[in-house]
Amino acid sequence: MPVNSRLPGFYKLSPRDRLAEVTRASGLTETDLACLVPSDPDMLATADRMIENVVGTLSIPVGIAANFTIGGRDYLIPMATEEPSVVAAASNMASVARLHGGFHVSTDLPIMVSQVQVVGVPDPRGARMRLYEAEAEILALANEQDPLLVKLGGGARGIEVRIVEADGATYVVLHLQVDVRDAMGANAVNTMAEALAPRIAEIAGGRVRLRILTNKADRRLARVRAVFDRDALGGADVVAGIVDAYRFAAADPYRAATHNKGIMNGITAVVLATGNDTRAVEAGAHCHAAASGRYSSLSHYEVNADGHLVGTLEVPMAVGLVGGATKTHPAARAGVKLLGVTSAQELAQVIVAVGLAQNVGALRALAAEGIQKGHMSLHARNVAAAAGAIGDEIEAVVSRLKTGGHVRLDRAEIILAELRAATP
Ligand code: NAD
């Protein structure tokens, strides 16, 4: 049946009425879409407050990464991901780092930056100087917008004024630097930038266009260092293989994209489990990976005097404990409570530690037995379920899939059919 996507007044309906409307408009049955409705009605009401046109929710598995010692403290780390082997790899490499004291971490102050773009300025260089001359006034005006943030010890800290030449146009771009304390900070800095706009236009002598944060949050870096035991990794040759894999990523953007994706497997899973903005963190990370002008590896690896692997990672980390979904989503609140972090900076440190562990886990597998062995072994359960196995059939199919060495849907379907045929 052809679908008509015009749904007048759809946004005004309740989630249940919207789902009924979508069922009707799509020609599907109630059963087809029933799994979108959470069993807890409060969750549906919460979801309806979070985004628009809500009809239901989607559950993503949350696993707990074990063995992490970060900054001298142990953490149980919630990771929300649909990908097998991510939680296992992080936990495994955390136990290897633990032999040498775990993960050593540091962070910048939680500074977010908002950009105000001024167009049509006749004297951009003069305007740049006039804006710097007015810095105290600009900061005071910004801070008037968020007295709570100021009371908490945060607030506007400084400005930077850049001249951006773009395709024949010249823009004066003011950066407002704000200490956002325990917030991710997007709304906080955007509100300030919008409030400043008329005064900035006046001082610069032009017209303000964009007023929004930059996700290149490079004044808010989180850093981690860890020593991974050579023998626990599998010996000197595995360590050399990891270093070769890293050098490959550092030199080749095609490899770097996958290398960094492995890091983000860990980072995004914790960012999501704590209700933070995964896209903001990912944009910041990939932009940082290209900070030299060429996209490269976010992490670095060396071998220390004792032959152990030293891994380091530095990533912009715009995450918070207030704002966004962090306080509204019950699972995010539970995740933060489980972690026991008391500041956004501490959360950022935990997240980069997981990113580094994840990266070493993937590189170790690549340098040793290859990624597919562990990955497909864990993936086999998904494949068995996708083939239609239920209950005890899943483990039976997994076991025969692994014995045959090829974890593929077509094989799982054949195995399942054979099992069912053999079952009286
Ligand atoms: P927010 O505005 O909801 O909360 C921040 C405010 O909370 C502060 O301004 C402050 O007044 C108050 N606050 C209370 N306790 C605080 C504490 N301990 N530390 C700091 N502030 C405290 O949220 P936000 O963090 O400014 O914005 C985050 C949301 O913005 C996310 O949902 C994100 O997805 C969204 N967003 C992102 C982008 C982007 O990344 N490009 C753009 C727009 C919006």
Side-chain angles (χ1 to χ4, degrees):
M1 156 186 162
V3 169
N4 182 355
S5 66
R6 282 287 302 136
L7 300 171
F10 184 67
Y11 71 98
K12 294 182 194 155
L13 301 178
S14 71
R16 282 185 191 283
D17 289 346
R18 281 188 208 120
L19 189 63
E21 177 78 359
V22 168
T23 307
R24 188 197 55 73
S26 62
L28 297 176
T29 66
E30 267 182 41
T31 319
D32 288 328
L33 300 179
C35 63
L36 293 174
V37 181
S39 52
D40 177 1
D42 286 349
M43 190 59 241
L44 194 59
T46 301
D48 196 32
R49 284 191 295 272
M50 288 175 71
I51 66 163
E52 312 74 40
N53 290 3
V54 163
V55 296
T57 58
L58 167 74
S59 287
I60 295 286
V62 175
I64 304 299
N67 307 322
F68 274 86
T69 293
I70 302 166
R73 215 201 104 178
D74 273 23
Y75 292 88
L76 295 172
I77 306 176
M79 298 178 75
T81 181
E82 86 300 341
E83 187 169 342
S85 71
V86 166
V87 180
S91 305
N92 198 359
M93 288 306 117
S95 70
V96 175
R98 205 178 169 88
L99 299 172
H100 295 269
F103 298 86
H104 306 277
V105 283
S106 61
T107 45
D108 292 337
L109 283 172
I111 301 285
M112 291 299 278
V113 172
S114 208
Q115 297 189 290
V116 181
Q117 177 200 24
V118 196
V119 303
V121 178
D123 58 339
R125 277 158 195 82
R128 179 169 176 267
M129 294 306 170
R130 289 195 295 279
L131 286 165
Y132 274 121
E133 289 156 30
E135 179 167 4
E137 179 197 343
I138 291 169
L139 296 184
L141 186 56
N143 282 330
E144 277 173 26
Q145 314 309 315
D146 203 333
L148 176 57
L149 186 62
V150 173
K151 196 170 151 211
L152 291 164
R157 290 283 178 266
I159 62 167
E160 184 186 356
V161 189
R162 299 166 55 231
I163 294 174
V164 177
E165 306 283 356
D167 204 15
T170 299
Y171 304 128
V172 176
V173 180
L174 180 132
H175 282 199
L176 178 72
Q177 300 151 358
V178 183
D179 181 332
V180 295
R181 298 282 87 201
D182 293 321
M184 179 268 181
N187 288 327
V189 302
N190 290 348
T191 304
M192 288 182 178
E194 289 197 0
L196 292 180
R199 184 65 185 126
I200 288 173
E202 201 174 21
I203 298 168
R207 212 175 129 205
V208 165
R209 293 257 194 224
L210 303 194
R211 299 141 291 162
I212 187 161
L213 86 157
T214 169
N215 286 110
K216 181 171 163 54
D218 55 6
R219 289 175 178 264
R220 197 179 187 181
L221 299 177
R223 303 179 195 82
V224 58
R225 168 182 69 86
V227 176
F228 297 88
D229 190 83
R230 176 194 55 205
D231 298 328
L233 283 172
D237 197 47
V238 173
V239 169
I242 293 174
V243 173
D244 267 338
Y246 151 65
R247 287 186 183 141
F248 183 13
D252 177 19
Y254 285 91
R255 175 58 211 150
T258 318
H259 179 98
N260 292 339
K261 190 272 182 183
I263 294 172
M264 300 315 288
N265 274 343
I267 287 181
T268 301
V270 188
V271 171
L272 184 60
T274 54
N276 274 288
D277 184 334
T278 54
R279 291 83 54 213
V281 172
E282 283 172 359
H286 292 293
C287 193
H288 199 59
S292 70
R294 196 193 62 191
Y295 188 84
S296 185
S297 167
L298 279 165
S299 58
H300 299 276
Y301 291 95
E302 303 157 318
V303 181
N304 72 10
D306 300 320
H308 301 302
L309 182 75
V310 180
T312 53
L313 173 66
E314 184 184 75
V315 191
M317 197 49 67
V319 290
L321 300 178
V322 297
T326 56
K327 281 270 191 276
T328 48
H329 199 292
R333 283 203 306 274
V336 170
K337 199 167 182 183
L338 176 65
L339 276 170
V341 290
T342 55
S343 70
Q345 285 171 291
E346 188 184 357
L347 175 60
Q349 293 173 353
V350 169
I351 292 171
V352 279
V354 176
L356 182 63
Q358 201 69 55
N359 190 215
V360 183
L363 296 183
R364 199 205 67 80
L366 284 168
E369 71 271 10
I371 201 92
Q372 284 308 79
K373 187 165 174 268
H375 194 78
M376 291 315 275
S377 152
L378 289 165
H379 186 52
R381 270 184 284 171
N382 279 343
V383 174
I390 45 171
D392 292 346
E393 289 175 341
I394 293 184
E395 284 314 315
V397 173
V398 166
S399 143
R400 286 186 53 189
L401 272 176
K402 286 202 214 162
T403 317
H406 294 286
V407 181
R408 289 198 322 258
L409 184 62
D410 57 336
R411 283 199 62 239
E413 284 169 351
I414 294 168
I415 293 169
L416 182 63
E418 287 171 2
L419 275 174
R420 286 184 177 167
T423 311

